[in-house]
Amino acid sequence: MVRLVSLILFFAIWWLASLFAGPQMLPGPEKVMAVIIAQARTGELFFQVGVTLARVFVAFTLAMVGGTALGFLMGRSKLADSIGDPWLIVLLNLPALVIIVLAFIWGGLTEVAGVLAVAINKLPNTIVTVREGARSLDPRLDEMAKVYGLPRWKSLRHVILPQLAPYIAAAARSGLSLVWKIVLIVELLGRPNGVGFEIGTAFQLFDVTRILAYALAFVIVILAIETVVVQPIERRASRWRSKAA
Amino acid sequence: MNDARPAGEAKQLEVHIERKAFAAASGGRLDVLRDIAFTLKRGEVAAFVGPSGCGKTTLLRIIADLDKDFEGNVRRADSISLAMVFQEPRLLPWRTVEQNVRLVAPDLSNQALASLLKELDLDAHRRHFPAELSLGLARRVSLARALAVKPDLLLLDEPFVSLDQALAARLRMQLSRLMRDLYLTTLLVSHDLEEVARLADRVFLLSPRPARIIAEIPLATPRDARSDREIVTMRTEVAKQIAEFAPPLIP
Ligand SMILES: Nc1ncnc2c1ncn2[C@@H]1O[C@H](COP(=O)(O)OP(=O)(O)OP(=O)(O)O)[C@@H](O)[C@H]1O
Ligand SMILES: [Mg+2]
């Protein structure tokens, strides 16, 4: 209910602002909506959003799987931590743009280079978060698993992963938004399609309505994923926490 | 469950710990165990009694192979299966009572699981998560988990502490029956002399830290055959010995 009011307020402010700024600088919500519908009719919108989503999905998965494995390793092994830490600091401080440009120079203007550049941008953040989780694993539960001779995969699945789950979820949450922002830059710089490419074209034509149309459409898709996929998974995973806590 | 008790009295556990020390945070070493040696035969129940902080939990952890940093050696019979009731319950918070037990005993039949939970008065809590249990209930689940694996060697670290007298007495009886039926070799750490007198075949008294065995008291009458009078006699006997070796430590 509060969310709905807040959403209506957002559109009201947008509409008012568009009256002051004029349709060139800031077209009103109704104009943007009209463009979204028109683009959806031709199928263009679905294609571009679909292409971008596919890149987001692949890059996100790569960064999450790689980052979880590396973060777990670094959290558990002192040696791995000492070896990996300098690399991590470099990666964390390297601007996204540098990684993208270098990836395109070394890998060519290819799909693989683009997606990898995005994944590498997200990777250090996942590593840091999961490493934190791996460091706070409860050694007493480890001992329990050991005494009862639980097979390695079983203790990984039932003892370790549930403890890491909140950290992985936090990384995934911030990851989804970070990854889609970077995918757009990659598309702008070196891909011939996708939402980022469309926005780049619209920028050259100074077509603000179209920029907003694509941005809004994609935000809606991401919001839908967040509420339909991410939140239910989180709820399910935290079922065991007592209600009061 | 089988009753083919080998009369050969195979040694289930041989312990020779010469010395166990921890590195103290302030530097130097903290001696915890000294010259602890004993053997356990199959089906035997040994109780360890000693003052708080003397090293009982440390001893159990060494026997469970959780701590390898000590001088001496511990020999367990080949391919022995182990279960331990830790001083705290150590349940997995994201699994229900039933799932916690199931995790360590995947081969247990549904029927056996049901009867075990019933035995420990847990059947009403099968689907509860550990956060929904009282400490006493959680301790019972931890005990159920240990019994579910039908271990060759059972390690109990003060299993009934923090339960009320009546409940502790009832659980003691159930445990005693299960120990007999499953013919469990058991190492019991306890402060409760009543518990010791009812459950153990032999009692080892430990000195304050660094712990060494100061006395071994065999309780001759078979566990099941002890009358209440004998239990009282045994308790007094153990208490007397404690008083003799460590006067300031008796309750
Ligand atoms: N990891 C450790 N590092 C340093 N010292 C330790 C460690 N674990 C235990 N100690 C010390 O070793 C001694 C024995 O501890 P232990 O837990 O075995 O005692 P306990 O006999 O089980 O006591 P309680 O009856 O209170 O459970 C204590 O003085 C404790 O401070
Ligand atoms: Mg202890």
Side-chain angles (χ1 to χ4, degrees), chain B residues 53 55-58 87 157-158 189:
Chain B
K56 304 180 295 296
T57 298
T58 306
Q87 210 162 349
D157 200 345
E158 306 188 33
V189 163

Side-chain angles (χ1 to χ4, degrees), chain B residues 36-226:
Chain B
I36 302 234
F38 63 92
T39 61
L40 270 189
K41 292 192 283 260
R42 212 169 106 72
E44 217 177 6
V45 180
F48 283 82
V49 179
S52 182
C54 75
K56 304 180 295 296
T57 298
T58 306
L59 174 63
L60 288 191
R61 285 171 44 85
I62 287 174
I63 291 169
D65 207 21
L66 293 175
D67 193 336
K68 295 180 175 66
D69 178 26
F70 65 98
E71 290 162 37
N73 62 71
V74 170
R75 298 230 328 258
R76 294 186 268 152
D78 290 338
S79 68
I80 206 171
S81 78
L82 199 65
M84 181 158 175
V85 174
F86 294 91
Q87 210 162 349
E88 342 80 56
R90 300 201 188 183
L91 304 173
L92 298 177
W94 42 87
R95 307 199 111 216
T96 60
V97 166
E98 183 175 343
Q99 290 168 339
N100 260 287
V101 177
R102 268 259 170 264
L103 181 69
V104 299
D107 299 330
L108 196 68
S109 73
N110 284 329
Q111 210 178 0
L113 178 68
S115 83
L116 179 63
L117 292 179
K118 201 179 170 72
E119 195 91 48
L120 294 171
D121 244 346
L122 288 167
D123 37 2
H125 302 283
R126 275 180 97 125
R127 288 190 170 66
H128 289 172
F129 288 97
E132 302 170 292
L133 304 176
S134 69
L135 182 57
L137 278 167
R139 279 187 191 287
R140 269 187 272 164
V141 177
S142 164
L143 184 60
R145 176 173 65 186
L147 294 170
V149 303
K150 307 214 175 89
D152 299 311
L153 179 61
L154 176 63
L155 307 174
L156 302 171
D157 200 345
E158 306 188 33
F160 298 137
V161 77
S162 95
L163 300 179
D164 67 72
Q165 285 293 319
L167 181 62
R170 229 181 62 229
L171 288 178
R172 205 156 51 218
M173 262 168 58
Q174 281 155 345
L175 177 62
S176 151
R177 203 170 56 237
L178 288 164
M179 285 194 316
R180 185 197 59 205
D181 291 347
L182 302 174
Y183 203 53
L184 296 175
T185 313
T186 307
L187 228 137
L188 166 73
V189 163
S190 176
H191 289 293
D192 182 343
L193 298 187
E194 168 91 16
E195 189 170 303
V196 168
R198 287 193 185 273
L199 294 179
D201 300 312
R202 290 192 287 161
V203 184
F204 293 93
L205 298 187
L206 296 176
S207 70
R209 203 193 72 224
R212 57 180 90 226
I213 296 176
I214 48 179
E216 178 186 339
I217 308 165
L219 304 180
T221 321
R223 269 142 39 199
D224 294 327
R226 291 173 196 167

Side-chain angles (χ1 to χ4, degrees), chain A residues 118-181:
Chain A
V118 179
I120 290 170
N121 266 300
K122 169 61 189 156
L123 193 69
N125 168 284
T126 310
I127 293 178
V128 168
T129 312
V130 174
R131 180 176 65 177
E132 208 52 46
R135 279 176 180 163
S136 67
L137 287 175
D138 188 346
R140 293 173 308 171
L141 295 182
D142 254 10
E143 289 186 353
M144 186 280 291
K146 185 153 181 280
V147 162
Y148 285 97
L150 286 194
R152 194 174 263 266
W153 64 268
K154 220 172 163 184
S155 94
L156 196 66
R157 164 82 184 75
H158 296 295
V159 182
I160 308 270
L161 264 185
Q163 292 181 74
L164 290 181
Y167 296 87
I168 294 174
R173 260 251 165 100
S174 68
L176 206 56
S177 55
L178 183 69
V179 163
W180 91 263
K181 286 173 192 172

